[in-house]
Amino acid sequence: MMTLSQLTALFGWASILNIGMLLFATILLFIARPIIVPIHKKMFDVSDSDLSLIYIKYLAHYKILTLVFIVTPYISLKIVGQ
């Protein structure tokens, strides 16, 4: 059984890792776009405009899931632990 402090630490580190991954994916999509877009166009047979929409949706969904399932429980546990 995990203690409250262990669970808080787990969600804290998970928050840091997920936010880091979100920032990494965002930066990579903006910096390496000329390299990534042709690869994805060939792999999935998708147009440029559709790829832009897919990238934005991916980042938005990842951000929402991270906030709802990782960051919010962490903040709640920090409040309860006070």
Side-chain angles (χ1 to χ4, degrees):
M1 185 77 178
M2 292 182 78
T3 65
L4 191 62
S5 62
Q6 289 173 328
L7 194 58
T8 303
L10 174 72
F11 276 109
W13 282 109
S15 296
I16 291 169
L17 292 173
N18 276 287
I19 291 169
M21 282 295 297
L22 179 63
L23 287 173
F24 177 72
T26 303
I27 291 168
L28 192 64
L29 278 173
F30 285 111
I31 291 175
R33 189 176 185 93
I35 299 168
I36 295 172
V37 169
I39 294 170
H40 287 155
K41 280 175 63 174
K42 286 181 184 177
M43 284 175 60
F44 302 113
D45 194 30
V46 181
S47 68
D48 284 342
S49 61
D50 288 341
L51 268 177
S52 294
L53 185 61
I54 290 168
Y55 293 151
I56 296 298
K57 282 184 178 183
Y58 161 74
L59 293 172
H61 289 140
Y62 193 86
K63 180 173 56 174
I64 290 168
L65 289 172
T66 298
L67 288 173
V68 170
F69 292 110
I70 304 293
V71 176
T72 303
Y74 173 69
I75 292 170
S76 301
L77 286 168
K78 288 298 273 188
I79 291 169
V80 169
Q82 295 287 334

